[in-house]
Amino acid sequence: AQIDQLCETIIDFKAAYNKAKGASDAAEKEAAVTKYFAEDLAASLALAEKSIPAGPGPFLVGSKVSYADLVFYMFLASPGGFHDNAEGAKAAFQGCPKIKAAMEA
């Protein structure tokens, strides 16, 4: 259930990013995407971090890699992954020690 919950949060994060990218005006789109990486994604990841159970680490749930780890990696850290701005995505999880450890594992 914990793995499913974490994976569902990624669906919400993707929807927020797609909404930001979907702005019709170029200036509005740029502002929305900048805000997404600078504020929204980091805040959302901080909330997700709170729902990660205590464990031996470095993985998100349990002592070995799980589907949640794969989904988070593909979303946040995979080269050529979901985001157009890989550096912005990487910066967003730097304040989340559990997520950061999983992404670097």
Side-chain angles (χ1 to χ4, degrees), residues 26-102:
E28 183 181 320
K29 177 181 177 179
E30 183 177 343
V33 169
T34 299
K35 181 180 180 295
Y36 170 82
F37 283 109
E39 299 172 21
D40 301 343
L41 182 57
S44 295
L45 288 169
L47 288 174
E49 172 99 356
K50 291 179 182 181
S51 71
I52 296 172
F59 305 110
L60 296 174
V61 179
S63 61
K64 57 186 175 183
V65 69
S66 71
Y67 184 64
D69 295 293
L70 297 174
V71 169
F72 267 73
Y73 180 79
M74 291 301 299
F75 179 69
L76 292 170
S78 174
F82 180 77
H83 292 105
D84 303 339
N85 179 353
E87 290 304 313
K90 184 176 181 180
F93 67 78
Q94 296 306 302
C96 302
K98 293 178 187 176
I99 293 172
K100 182 178 179 189

Side-chain angles (χ1 to χ4, degrees), residues 5-41:
Q5 180 267 322
L6 288 169
C7 292
E8 288 293 320
T9 62
I10 295 298
I11 293 170
D12 296 337
F13 297 166
K14 286 181 176 183
Y17 184 54
N18 286 327
K19 181 178 178 184
K21 287 189 345 179
S24 58
D25 178 64
E28 183 181 320
K29 177 181 177 179
E30 183 177 343
V33 169
T34 299
K35 181 180 180 295
Y36 170 82
F37 283 109
E39 299 172 21
D40 301 343
L41 182 57

